[in-house]
Amino acid sequence: MPLRWKIAALAAATACLVALAVGVLVHVWTAMDIRSRAEMDATNTVYSAMEVYRRTGTPAGGAELDPAELPTALRHPAGADRRVAYDGRVEGNLGPSVWGAQRVGGPGSPVLAVRINMSPQLHDLRRLDASMAVASLVSLAAALPLAVYGAALVARRLRRVAETAARISGGDLDARNGPALGRARGRDEVTDIAATVDLMADSLGRRLRIERQFTADVAHELRTPVGGLLAATDLLPPGETEDLLRARVRDLRGLVEDLLEISRLDAGAEAPVRARVPLAAVVAEAVARTGLDTAVTVTGSPAAEQAEHGVDAEQVEASEQVETDPRRLERIVGNLVTNAHRHGRTPVRVTVEGLTVVVRDHGPGFPADLLLDGPRRFRTGAAERGAGHGLGLTIALGQARVLGAELRLDNAADGGAIATLRLPPPPTDTRPPHDGAEADTRRPRP
């Protein structure tokens, strides 16, 4: 149930409880007042009737001597005091009643009694109850829309705060609620929440900018000395030591290049160079460049069906072209395949279906924290230390965002990690690349 309806329901329930409490209090107070007035009236009437009886010897004013309906409590009153008693019996329009009684003489003398009928007053009380119930329902019907409107205002402001928090969680570190949320409606708890979210976003943005700047600075500072190391290895005499040192320096250079690429992705400095390329061919080329034993399968596509029926290969390739940046696509697929071989187990399979590329291994799968929070740089799921830097998936996700694609990481039910890359659909205006340029399928720098 939406928050505004919960607030409205709570306001309606509170209004009903208040109306019920007021109605009960008014009913009880009025009933007590009616009975009190009836007892006072009975006492005064008995007093007047007794004065008349003592002068004339005849009951007057509706008084009777020892009436048959007199309540038991008044049949044998002690002394000559006036007494009253409630009689709840109802006979037609008579009753409930209040009786007043007094002995006309000493002990054993007749009892002069007067009956005060409360039926008209109690009828008025029932009418008052009905009027209060109708008034409460009318007030509730008028107040409920106001409560819904007021709750909607609060819910709308909370929804804005939630949307801003979701944008920040999605990577938009410039998203803010802004001071207008507080200035328009004064200072309240919602404004405090919005200000806290903005403060959190500012703090998070500063920390991320410091981290990104540090990554970029380290990569730039290391690039020159690493290049010098790589050149110096060429001066070493051939041998096992030279091969080992060259491999380690090459790994270090790859790490520096990865850090530089991440810093460019963080800064938003990357822009795709789109071209129409055959998706299956680009994926196969990217897998081949890794040098790892990986099967590539093209399924569920018109091209595959045409190939099975003997259609010319060039026509098949043309029918499967997509508009994307082939260099970045190769980078994504290569990183996913390398990650599958490094942290998973063979066989590793790559499946191309329409605009979707799926890379699957048969290892232990992605760690739970990676599926929950996404890949984090310098954090690897390898069992052994030094098996990876945790940058491959980070770069793949960053490049997928540049392409406008979706990269989803999951674990298979029967074991193994699954990385699914979904390319965006082609634009409606599918024009060829500008100036008739061929697609750039060159391999990115390691």
Side-chain angles (χ1 to χ4, degrees), residues 74-105:
L74 299 180
R75 287 188 177 277
H76 304 286
D81 295 335
R82 288 183 293 274
R83 298 179 181 278
V84 293
Y86 176 77
D87 183 5
R89 293 175 298 176
V90 178
E91 299 174 357
N93 293 329
L94 186 63
S97 307
V98 171
W99 288 83
Q102 183 180 3
R103 287 191 182 277
V104 297

Side-chain angles (χ1 to χ4, degrees), residues 42-128:
T43 301
N44 294 334
T45 303
V46 167
Y47 177 80
S48 300
M50 182 61 69
E51 292 293 329
V52 173
Y53 180 80
R54 286 173 179 173
R55 289 197 309 266
T56 64
T58 303
E64 299 180 69
L65 290 174
D66 294 329
E69 297 87 1
L70 187 66
T72 305
L74 299 180
R75 287 188 177 277
H76 304 286
D81 295 335
R82 288 183 293 274
R83 298 179 181 278
V84 293
Y86 176 77
D87 183 5
R89 293 175 298 176
V90 178
E91 299 174 357
N93 293 329
L94 186 63
S97 307
V98 171
W99 288 83
Q102 183 180 3
R103 287 191 182 277
V104 297
S109 62
V111 176
L112 183 67
V114 174
R115 184 177 190 178
I116 304 299
N117 183 21
M118 295 190 301
S119 178
Q121 291 82 2
L122 294 179
H123 177 71
D124 293 339
L125 178 59
R126 288 190 291 271
R127 292 179 58 186
L128 176 63

Side-chain angles (χ1 to χ4, degrees), residues 111-185:
V111 176
L112 183 67
V114 174
R115 184 177 190 178
I116 304 299
N117 183 21
M118 295 190 301
S119 178
Q121 291 82 2
L122 294 179
H123 177 71
D124 293 339
L125 178 59
R126 288 190 291 271
R127 292 179 58 186
L128 176 63
D129 292 341
S131 299
M132 291 192 62
V134 172
S136 299
L137 292 176
V138 172
S139 300
L140 180 61
L144 187 59
L146 296 179
V148 173
Y149 176 73
L153 294 179
V154 176
R156 188 179 303 117
R157 296 170 65 196
L158 289 174
R159 192 179 303 112
R160 280 189 55 188
V161 176
E163 290 173 353
T164 301
R167 289 171 57 191
I168 295 173
S169 176
D172 184 4
L173 299 181
D174 296 326
R176 296 292 185 276
N177 293 299
L181 187 64
R183 286 201 304 263
R185 300 172 178 85

Side-chain angles (χ1 to χ4, degrees), residues 268-281:
E270 296 288 316
V273 180
R274 300 186 184 276
R276 293 190 63 81
V277 293
L279 178 58

Side-chain angles (χ1 to χ4, degrees), residues 5-6 34 49 51 61 78 90 106 116 138 180 196 198 211 224 233 241 252 271 302 310 325 332 347 370 387 391 422:
W5 290 112
K6 291 181 180 179
I34 291 174
E51 292 293 329
V90 178
I116 304 299
V138 172
T196 303
D198 287 349
E211 179 183 343
T224 299
T233 57
T241 302
L252 181 58
D325 187 329
I332 297 171
L370 185 147
L391 301 180
R422 291 185 177 87

